Each structure stands twice: as C-alpha cells, then as structure tokens.
Amino acid sequence: MSGFPKDFIWGAACASYQCEGGWDADGKGANIWDDFCHEIEGHHIFDGTSGDTACDSYHRFREDVALMKAHNIRAYRFSVSWARVIPQGTGPVNEAGLAYYDALIDELLANGIEPMVTLYHWDLPSALQDRGGWLNREIVDAFANYAELLAKRFKGRVTKFMTINEPQCIAQLGYGSGEHAPGLKLGEEKVAQVFHHLCLAHSAAYRAIKAACGKDVQVGAVSCGRLCYPQKDTPENREAAYRASFQLMEKNWAFTFSIFLDPLCLRRYDESAPEAVRRFAATIDPADWDLMEKPDFIGINVYQGYMVDESGAPVELYPGFPRTAIKWAVTPKVMHYGPLNVIRRYGLPVYISENGVSCNDRVHLDGKVHDPNRIDFLHRYLLELRKAVDEGADVRGYLHWSFLDNFEWSQGYTERFGLVYVDYRTCERVPKDSARWYAEVSANNGTNL
Ligand code: NOJ
C-alpha cells in the first residue's frame, strides 16, 4: 500500500450563489438564480428561500478563511459570480466585484490556502438569459471574454481554473426538467444544443486563460454523471462497470460524463448516443469539432454510484439500504472504480472536485454539532479513494463539499452538506465534529484512515 502522494491536496469547495449572499451589493447585476428564487409564483425552492444572504460569505470571508486554516484546509475551490464582476454579462466591468475576489484570493494565499477558481457554477447574468442564455451561441464569446478578464486579473495568484461546473445540471435541470434556473422545460434536442454551447464555451475559455496566463496555469472542467461500480471485483464485472458508466442511455443520457467529456477529449459523441443527440449532432458544423479543447484535468463530483452486475445491468439495492438525508445511496465503492474509469477513458489527471453528504445536523445540548454519520461516510469514501490511488489512479486532490452549510439550490436550506454548521438566523458558524476529523486526515495525508 502506497497511500496518497506527498503533494496530495486536501481542500474544500463551495459556489458563489450558495454561500456569498450580497445579491445586490456594490453594483452586482442580477443572475438567473436571483430571478428564479424571487419568482414566488413558481414556488421553485422547497422552503421558499433564496441565496440573497446565504452564509453572507461576501462579508464574512475572512472569518471563513480563518476557520479553513484552523482545520487544515489546503485549497479552497470557489466560484466567481459572473454578474458580480460583469453585471450585464458583457460590457462594463464592476470593479467592486473584482475587488471582492482579489481580497478573497489574497486572504487565502496569506493563510497558505490555494485558491482554485471555478468560472461558472450556474449563476448566469440575467441579461444573458434575456438573450437566450446557453441556447444562444453568442454566449461562447461572452464566456471567453469573462474568462480572459479573470485570468488577467488573477494571474500570478491563481494557477488552477475550472471552467464549468456540472454541465449536466445546467442543461438538463435548467433547460430540460426546469427544476433549476432558468426553469425551462424544453425538448431533448434543445438540451443537446445547450451541451454543445457549454463545450464550445469551455474550449474558448480554455484558450483565453492559456493566452493570458501561459502554459503553466492548469485549466480543468468539472463533471458529474452516472458512475457505475462492479457488484463483484472480477475483471469481467469491472469491464461491465466501465462500459455502463459511459454508455448514453436512451433515458437520462444527460447525466453522464460522456455527453460533456467525449466531445472535449475524444471530439465525438459516444456511439451509443440516443436518437435525439444524433439528430442534433447532424446539425453541428463539422468545424466545431476542431474547436474542442481537452482540459488539463477533470474535476469529478462524486456522491452516489450505481452497482452493476457482470452483464452491466443495474443491481437493485436491498430494502433499507443506507441513504443520506437527501436520500442519495451511500455507495463508497464508486470512489474506488469511478476515478479509475474516468482516467482510463480520458487519460487525464483528476481531482475529486466535490464529495460530501447531507445530514440532519443540529446544535446539541452541549453547544456542539456531532455528526458521526458524516465522519463515517467520509471515512468509507476516502478508504475507497485510497484503493484507487494504490492502483495507480492519478488523483491530485480531494475537495470536500462543502466547507460551510449553504443554499442547496431547489432544496433551499433544508440540506446541510457542511463541515461547519451555519445558523442562518445569525450566520454564526459552528465547526462540526467532522471538521476536526477532516483536519486530522489532512494533517496526516490520510495515513490515519
Ligand atoms: C453538486 C453541485 O455542484 C453543488 O452545487 C451542489 O450543492 C452539490 N452537488 C450537492 O448537491
């Protein structure tokens, strides 16, 4: 057993809309999540809330960074709110917005924490949505200009960028099922078109960042999707899990790694593409394929995996199977086979850009937040991740989702994913037991697992 490499990064992640608040502070423009949450008629958010204040990290980031340092967080993956820095999505820049991210980055660096910057974690400026959002190809240039602005500004301080987070949710939940902003319910071909524009936008941003910062800056893309793991650890079953992971199923093809990463890395759609994707693909200008840029690394967001048998067929979970508060299955093995399979298909290093668990956390009588379920979950998933590393998987870091409890999209504040509890009445932060446990894992580079 070799264990985690010496320079493995133990960090945490969050996203602008989920933690910042300050929704209209200092010249920020509106974005689609502001609109989606404020639109009471639609009742889009389970508890009727919004990210208007969230964790108020816009004002409390110094306290957050101090807590990160106290808990041995070595890297912080955060996203930039596009409308905070370019209120209309294109055109005039909001200096106060950029100054906020400058201050956050400087505070992280002063505390020995590496900033890892996601450009787009779902909060599109409303002005761009008014022009069709991700359905309008003009967004590709707008995104590249935004990327160039950030790259030039953060040059020398940020060396890892991630272009787009989970295109699967942007396209399917935003334009297909309508569960997420902008809440559209369109057909599969439109969803495929959104994916195509996301791929082109990633690629244009990739080139813009490299042009501004040089080759040494790494530019990744972050994906989620159905990752399968074998019921039995046999070569045949492993192979079946690999195939099932990347197959575009007739239903639910949007929630796969292949729909985003095959175009970028292999410059094609998987042969298993369903009818709707093939129909859309036939309309793509062949020159577009030459525009696709393979990222330097892949961020994998891992929560629950899917068990398959030796034929690749799904194995039903037994009654009472362990589940998290949000009802996702607890499947640690996905952390062993998932990274191995993503690396096998795309040949790129990976970061676990998100992994975590929602629990019914509360402050106990002793004033502390005891969360043994989160510690057990993490322990199990990290032991499996170590198996992947021991088998040679090039995994460079693990970014826990999330550092703070935060706004969980259409679930509002009902799901708590943080290592640190947030009392939303006061924004008081209370580190949970898991924060102290994770601090030890980081300090020992996982040897204490
Ligand atoms: C993935 C998303 O990137 C993040 O925003 C979300 O909060 C977590 N999953 C948990 O659902």
Side-chain angles (χ1 to χ4, degrees):
M1 286 246 283
S2 44
F4 294 99
K6 254 199 347 283
D7 49 359
F8 192 82
I9 296 176
W10 297 96
C14 202
S16 45
Y17 190 76
Q18 297 183 268
C19 71
E20 282 178 3
W23 79 278
D24 61 352
D26 306 329
K28 175 182 162 294
N31 65 51
I32 56 173
W33 275 91
D34 296 323
D35 300 341
F36 196 62
C37 296
H38 292 164
E39 189 199 312
I40 305 297
E41 288 306 303
H43 299 299
H44 300 301
I45 312 302
F46 182 70
D47 57 2
T49 57
S50 73
D52 285 3
T53 306
C55 313
D56 197 27
S57 291
Y58 184 68
H59 298 107
R60 295 168 198 252
F61 67 93
R62 290 186 205 281
E63 182 186 346
D64 294 343
V65 174
L67 276 176
M68 287 179 207
K69 183 174 187 191
H71 292 91
N72 300 330
I73 299 296
R74 310 279 189 226
Y76 181 45
R77 171 183 175 233
F78 63 91
S79 76
V80 173
S81 159
W82 189 343
R84 199 182 287 293
V85 301
I86 310 177
Q88 301 299 307
T90 55
V93 167
N94 179 32
E95 183 51 40
L98 283 172
Y100 166 67
Y101 295 107
D102 278 341
L104 172 59
I105 290 169
D106 291 344
E107 189 72 11
L108 288 166
L109 291 173
N111 285 282
I113 301 168
E114 179 177 3
M116 296 175 78
V117 178
T118 306
L119 268 49
Y120 188 74
H121 202 124
W122 309 353
D123 42 0
L124 190 74
S126 306
L128 291 179
Q129 190 61 46
D130 294 345
R131 281 147 57 190
W134 290 103
L135 287 168
N136 181 346
R137 192 175 171 129
E138 283 174 16
I139 201 167
V140 175
D141 286 342
F143 190 64
N145 291 338
Y146 163 59
E148 184 188 3
L149 173 76
L150 298 188
K152 285 188 170 156
R153 183 80 173 209
F154 302 158
K155 187 176 176 175
R157 293 181 290 163
V158 173
T159 60
K160 294 185 190 79
F161 288 92
M162 290 169 234
T163 53
I164 289 169
N165 178 73
E166 294 193 356
Q168 291 80 2
C169 294
I170 301 167
Q172 178 56 27
L173 303 183
Y175 292 78
S177 70
E179 289 161 70
H180 279 188
L184 301 174
K185 294 184 178 142
L186 307 175
E188 288 181 296
E189 279 176 61
K190 292 287 182 211
V191 172
Q193 185 174 35
V194 168
F195 271 112
H196 186 56
H197 290 157
L198 286 161
C199 288
L200 291 172
H202 155 86
S203 303
Y206 180 96
R207 288 187 289 273
I209 298 169
K210 293 281 177 172
C213 298
K215 282 200 316 301
D216 294 341
V217 163
Q218 291 171 40
V219 184
V222 178
S223 187
C224 65
R226 179 172 178 272
L227 287 178
C228 302
Y229 61 92
Q231 182 177 27
K232 297 191 207 112
D233 194 12
T234 63
E236 297 73 24
N237 207 156
R238 277 187 178 223
E239 194 58 30
Y242 172 80
R243 278 198 318 274
S245 294
F246 298 99
Q247 194 192 349
L248 298 181
M249 323 229 294
E250 204 53 52
K251 285 209 181 97
N252 219 6
W253 54 265
F255 276 97
T256 53
F257 276 69
S258 355
I259 193 69
F260 178 49
L261 290 168
D262 280 10
L264 297 185
C265 301
L266 312 175
R267 295 190 167 185
R268 59 165 170 77
Y269 284 115
D270 192 84
E271 22 330 320
S272 63
E275 181 54 28
V277 178
R278 273 183 286 151
R279 259 202 318 271
F280 168 74
T283 69
I284 295 178
D285 178 349
D288 279 3
W289 293 107
D290 297 331
L291 295 173
M292 299 294 177
E293 297 284 358
K294 193 172 177 164
D296 300 327
F297 64 87
I298 296 172
I300 319 183
N301 292 352
V302 190
Y303 291 90
Q304 58 178 337
Y306 300 84
M307 197 200 293
V308 295
D309 66 16
E310 296 203 355
S311 73
V315 177
E316 229 180 280
L317 303 179
Y318 59 81
F321 194 88
R323 289 188 183 272
T324 70
I326 204 172
K327 299 283 183 265
W328 297 348
V330 178
T331 58
K333 284 192 163 60
V334 67
M335 203 56 128
H336 174 189
Y337 302 98
L340 282 169
N341 284 339
V342 170
I343 293 168
R344 168 175 165 193
R345 187 167 183 93
Y346 301 114
L348 291 170
V350 305
Y351 287 84
I352 305 303
S353 37
E354 287 183 27
N355 168 245
V357 53
S358 72
C359 299
N360 293 316
D361 301 316
R362 58 179 180 275
V363 180
H364 288 219
L365 271 177
D366 61 0
K368 297 185 174 154
V369 180
H370 303 295
D371 57 342
N373 283 350
R374 181 169 290 101
I375 293 174
D376 181 70
F377 178 100
L378 264 174
H379 203 159
R380 289 173 190 273
Y381 274 64
L382 290 175
L383 283 171
E384 295 294 328
L385 181 61
R386 189 163 72 190
K387 288 186 192 161
V389 170
D390 286 341
E391 280 185 38
D394 186 357
V395 185
R396 307 256 166 111
Y398 171 92
L399 305 166
H400 185 74
W401 187 274
S402 178
F403 188 63
L404 301 178
D405 288 340
N406 60 60
F407 178 79
E408 177 58 19
W409 307 112
S410 53
Q411 299 304 309
Y413 296 99
T414 58
E415 302 294 340
R416 293 183 176 274
F417 276 91
L419 295 170
V420 174
Y421 181 91
V422 177
D423 181 335
Y424 296 110
R425 296 166 301 181
T426 58
C427 282
E428 190 197 342
R429 279 92 162 115
V430 185
K432 304 176 191 176
D433 289 351
S434 59
R436 290 178 279 277
W437 183 86
Y438 186 59
E440 286 303 305
V441 174
S442 170
N444 292 288
N445 199 24
T447 53
N448 56 335
L449 291 167

